[in-house]
Amino acid sequence: MKPRTSYLSPFSERYGSKEMRYIWSEARRYAMYREVWTYLAQAYKDAGYEVDESAVNDMSDKWDSTNIERLQKIEEVTKHDIAAHIECFCEDVPLASNIIHIGETSQFVIDNSEAVMVKESLFYIIRKANKLLEMLTSILKHAKDQRMVGYTHLQPAQITTWKKRVAGWAQEISMALEGVAFRLDRHRTRGLGGAVGTNQAALDLLGDIESVGKARSSFINNLGFEGCGFKMVGQTYPRTHDSALIASLSVLASAVSKMGMDIRFLCGMGQLASQKEEGQVGSSAMPYKTNPILWEKINSLSRVLQSHLSSALTTSSTQVLERTLDDSAGRRAYLPESFIAMDEILDSAIKGISTVSPSSKAEEDLQRSMPVFFLEFMMNKLIKSGMSRTESHKAVTEIKDLVLRDSDMTMEEFVDKVEFLKKGGLSTTQEDLRIAIANAEVALWSEEFLQDNYGIGTVQTDVEIYIKEVLEPTISHYRGV
């Protein structure tokens, strides 16, 4: 096979599942156009318009029969893709030439077709996001927990645990999943409407408002939306709907991307071990490397998806009056690419999350940070002994400056230094520091602090409650979507 001589989008073959790429393929789109026109013919027939039953049947038989070469030749003349599709379909089904596209505008077939494609895509996204939640929940239920260094501002802050981090990731993804599911619940199709949404052409053809209503209901129901059509449309359905859809995908992508960024940092610090696939090359220059490529890809695709939100918002805010054509080119990119990117993000996360786990270095880094964490423990003990919080905070900060100059100091060395200060090794006029050193039962406090489970707070209980009250009900709810 020779290299292609024209540009190929990475979303055509490289990213996304075959199923998601098929939904947004030419084959699916062109078949969907013909399906929509068939339901339009059936809708007019149901409303009492004279339509040959055999014509509708012939239309149904030709959904997957678009002749691409013929279509392209027609479009070269018409310079209008939908007009070319109409002519091509009429050639394939001449008996239906008087009913194909009757009473409607080009955006009728595009918007209604894409509404179906979006709906199918949302099902895939929700199922895969739910699968990722299932995997995170399995880690929370079955993996061994481990204390780790917790960071704020990328500086060691307090003790946390592996499961606490996983639960945090799951919480953000769960919240984002609910947002996508909400968009599915509120998803609508355009339905009929004519050139500017007044249905005047349909009224002219069908004769009365009741018949137009029958045609609208028949069409929307046959398309699979069971009454869920927009009540008000212009030439298009509201482009705000696209923005809301892509916003929900962007939020989900950002939640998964946050997890990916955390994992990348922890792998970079050596605190997480990430397994390499058999045959995977870590680096073309450095054969010893195992780069977190899945998570890097997730971060990158998340940025691409979020950039599409900006385009969608600009489109929805600049659709002047009933419609302007400047929505067309952007939507050809940001609708399919948003869903394909989200699909790839979820597939990559599902694949990658089972390959990471805390390494031995996580424990080493924790022990190295224990003297820093002990300072807050000291502060709380001094508060309980009667010092004000302000005085104890200041004093412990000064102890840190005096004692913790060596970042690799062990807890034993830290205790020895504070005991030295307590026995007269402190030269200062600061009363709060003198009181703090005098009251510090460092050796005794350190024994309590160094207990195996110290520092995890209420994490174990919190995680168990979160699994029971949020994750399990959420997973059960979306499993059947």
Side-chain angles (χ1 to χ4, degrees):
M1 181 177 178
K2 294 182 179 180
R4 297 173 179 87
T5 56
S6 61
Y7 172 73
L8 181 72
S9 167
F11 294 99
S12 298
E13 293 182 359
R14 187 174 188 86
Y15 299 129
S17 63
K18 290 181 179 179
E19 293 82 6
M20 186 62 78
R21 291 199 303 266
Y22 172 72
I23 290 173
W24 294 98
S25 67
E26 276 190 350
R28 177 71 174 119
R29 177 180 290 275
Y30 295 171
M32 198 66 237
Y33 287 172
R34 293 186 167 200
E35 187 174 343
V36 165
W37 279 318
T38 303
Y39 293 144
L40 175 64
Q42 183 64 52
Y44 267 68
K45 185 176 185 301
D46 291 344
Y49 194 78
E50 187 175 344
V51 177
D52 193 324
E53 181 71 30
S54 60
V56 177
N57 293 334
D58 287 350
M59 290 171 73
S60 299
D61 291 339
K62 295 292 184 178
W63 287 354
D64 297 313
S65 302
T66 300
N67 184 323
I68 300 300
E69 291 182 0
R70 177 59 183 152
L71 180 69
Q72 291 173 343
K73 287 182 179 179
I74 297 171
E75 190 173 349
E76 286 176 6
V77 176
T78 64
K79 305 297 188 291
H80 191 296
D81 58 340
I82 298 303
H85 276 282
I86 294 169
E87 187 172 337
C88 196
F89 198 17
C90 287
E91 289 179 358
D92 286 348
V93 191
L95 190 60
S97 59
N98 67 329
I99 194 69
I100 291 173
H101 201 64
I102 190 170
E104 287 301 333
T105 185
S106 300
Q107 210 58 42
F108 157 80
V109 71
I110 294 173
D111 276 12
N112 284 304
S113 295
E114 289 178 343
V116 174
M117 294 154 75
V118 164
K119 185 177 181 181
E120 292 173 354
S121 299
L122 286 170
F123 282 132
Y124 273 104
I125 297 303
I126 290 170
R127 290 174 192 142
K128 290 184 178 184
N130 205 44
K131 174 64 176 176
L132 180 56
L133 279 184
E134 286 183 336
M135 297 186 72
L136 293 171
T137 302
S138 179
I139 292 173
L140 294 175
K141 286 182 174 181
H142 306 299
K144 180 182 178 182
D145 205 3
Q146 180 173 333
R147 292 192 303 173
M148 302 179 76
V149 178
Y151 295 87
T152 59
H153 310 274
L154 291 179
Q155 304 296 316
Q158 281 189 343
I159 298 169
T160 188
T161 77
W162 169 234
K163 287 188 176 182
K164 171 66 167 59
R165 282 204 173 108
V166 173
W169 298 334
Q171 178 171 254
E172 296 201 42
I173 292 167
S174 174
M175 292 164 60
L177 169 57
E178 289 177 353
V180 175
F182 178 82
R183 294 320 317 170
L184 175 61
D185 186 57
R186 295 295 188 273
H187 187 46
R188 301 289 184 266
T189 193
R190 177 187 183 275
L192 309 187
V196 294
T198 62
N199 277 302
Q200 184 60 54
L203 186 59
D204 291 342
L205 290 160
L206 294 171
D208 58 77
I209 292 176
E210 183 180 356
S211 296
V212 174
K214 286 181 180 179
R216 294 171 75 176
S217 296
S218 170
F219 175 79
I220 290 171
N221 291 340
N222 282 332
L223 199 60
F225 282 85
E226 298 176 358
C228 294
F230 284 104
K231 302 300 183 186
M232 292 289 134
V233 296
Q235 190 169 92
T236 71
Y237 66 61
R239 291 300 182 234
T240 304
H241 184 61
D242 290 344
S243 297
L245 282 167
I246 297 175
S248 70
L249 296 178
S250 296
V251 172
L252 178 56
S254 71
V256 182
S257 186
K258 185 267 191 290
M259 177 173 71
M261 186 64 76
D262 285 353
I263 290 172
R264 286 175 63 192
F265 269 100
L266 292 169
C267 286
M269 291 186 286
Q271 293 185 18
L272 283 187
S274 181
Q275 299 171 12
K276 212 166 50 167
E277 289 188 65
E278 185 177 352
Q280 178 185 326
V281 176
S283 165
S284 63
M286 297 160 282
Y288 48 85
K289 291 191 73 179
T290 304
N291 297 328
I293 56 174
L294 283 174
W295 306 107
E296 290 170 325
K297 177 174 64 175
I298 286 169
N299 291 154
S300 184
L301 287 174
S302 178
R303 289 197 294 271
V304 171
L305 202 166
Q306 290 168 50
S307 72
H308 283 323
L309 175 58
S310 175
S311 182
L313 288 168
T314 302
T315 296
S316 61
S317 65
T318 57
Q319 282 298 283
V320 182
L321 303 177
E322 279 64 53
R323 191 253 179 143
T324 51
L325 190 61
D326 57 344
D327 66 337
S328 179
R331 292 181 79 253
R332 290 174 192 266
Y334 63 64
L335 269 184
E337 289 183 8
S338 293
F339 281 103
I340 294 171
M342 191 69 251
D343 187 59
E344 180 70 19
I345 287 169
L346 290 170
D347 280 346
S348 298
I350 289 168
K351 184 178 182 180
I353 194 61
S354 61
T355 70
V356 294
S357 58
S359 68
S360 58
K361 191 172 184 298
E363 177 62 26
E364 294 170 7
D365 287 354
L366 176 66
Q367 293 304 319
R368 190 177 293 113
S369 299
M370 289 299 265
V372 176
F373 300 154
F374 183 61
L375 292 171
E376 185 181 13
F377 185 82
M378 282 184 64
M379 183 182 74
N380 291 330
K381 286 291 188 182
L382 290 170
I383 292 170
K384 290 183 72 174
S385 72
M387 285 187 76
S388 73
R389 190 190 181 283
T390 301
E391 290 173 339
S392 60
H393 187 281
K394 184 179 178 182
V396 168
T397 301
E398 290 162 353
I399 291 172
K400 181 256 183 187
D401 292 339
L402 282 170
V403 177
L404 274 180
R405 295 175 182 175
D406 183 357
S407 61
D408 289 328
M409 182 180 293
T410 65
M411 269 299 297
E412 185 178 357
E413 291 169 336
F414 174 81
V415 171
D416 288 344
K417 283 200 172 185
V418 176
E419 288 293 334
F420 170 74
L421 296 177
K422 188 174 182 179
K423 291 175 182 178
L426 178 66
S427 177
T428 181
T429 58
Q430 298 178 41
E431 187 64 20
D432 54 355
L433 181 55
R434 286 184 173 277
I435 294 172
I437 293 296
N439 291 336
E441 300 291 338
V442 181
L444 181 63
W445 293 349
S446 67
E447 291 181 10
E448 181 182 347
F449 176 76
L450 290 174
Q451 293 176 9
D452 288 344
N453 288 326
Y454 180 79
I456 66 173
T458 62
V459 164
Q460 185 174 351
T461 302
D462 292 344
V463 169
E464 290 175 355
I465 291 173
Y466 183 63
I467 291 171
K468 182 178 180 180
E469 295 186 358
V470 179
L471 285 179
E472 289 181 339
T474 299
I475 291 167
S476 177
H477 178 73
Y478 293 116
R479 188 174 285 136
V481 170

